[in-house]
Amino acid sequence: MKRARIAAAALGLFVAGLGGAASVAGAKEQTLKQVMGENFAGLQAILISLITSNYSAVPSQVKLIHDHATALTKMVPANAQADRDRFLSYAYELRTHADDLETISRALIEHDKGKEKLVTDSLREAAAAHYGGMVTMCVSCHNRFRPNVVH
């Protein structure tokens, strides 16, 4: 368990470093970077919840990711127009992973309250898989469509 907490803390420092490195841009980019900072913080909180098996924070954090993915489906940026279908597939897949993780986390919360009897080990693994899917979609989309390298 100690290793898991150390890993979560290391990820937190990494994410904090990304947010700090992003603070030198202009006002328009700052807004985008603030949104991305919220998403990174949400992903970090989800990871810590998965590692500690305390799922109460997951639904609200997953909602941030779901809302971000929904917004992406409604506005394809100019630099993604040439490969619009791929961009939208990333956004829809991100939203699907977020929705599935929310459903699983709510089931785990009910189980942990003692209200439902579930095969929890497989649900915990499925939750982790959907978390990984969200991270993969973020990296894939930003790798392909980010207009500039973030310094």
Side-chain angles (χ1 to χ4, degrees):
M1 187 59 128
K2 186 175 180 179
R3 287 184 187 177
R5 288 184 185 179
I6 291 170
L11 177 67
L13 291 173
F14 173 74
V15 170
L18 286 175
S23 64
V24 293
K28 184 176 178 184
E29 283 190 40
Q30 186 65 26
T31 302
L32 174 63
K33 289 181 181 180
Q34 286 173 347
V35 169
M36 294 312 302
E38 290 175 10
N39 290 342
F40 284 136
L43 286 171
Q44 179 186 7
I46 292 167
L47 178 61
I48 291 169
S49 295
L50 293 176
I51 291 170
T52 61
S53 297
N54 180 2
Y55 304 99
S56 60
V58 173
S60 63
Q61 296 303 321
V62 169
K63 183 169 179 0
L64 289 173
I65 305 300
H66 168 91
D67 292 348
H68 174 64
T70 297
L72 292 174
T73 66
K74 296 176 181 175
M75 60 110 205
V76 178
N79 65 316
Q81 288 296 332
D83 202 358
R84 184 176 190 279
D85 290 344
R86 184 182 305 250
F87 179 86
L88 289 173
S89 73
Y90 289 151
Y92 284 119
E93 191 166 343
L94 175 62
R95 190 169 69 183
T96 298
H97 283 298
D99 291 346
D100 290 346
L101 180 54
E102 180 188 14
T103 300
I104 292 168
S105 66
R106 289 191 186 282
L108 287 166
I109 289 168
E110 290 304 309
H111 171 268
D112 290 348
K113 290 179 184 175
K115 292 183 179 178
E116 291 187 30
K117 300 296 182 198
L118 303 169
V119 183
T120 58
D121 289 342
S122 61
L123 282 180
R124 293 180 204 288
E125 291 171 5
H130 286 292
Y131 173 83
M134 289 189 320
V135 171
T136 300
M137 288 302 97
C138 292
V139 170
S140 296
C141 189
H142 285 262
N143 184 53
R144 187 165 208 41
F145 297 111
R146 179 178 44 222
N148 298 314
V149 175
V150 177
H151 296 281

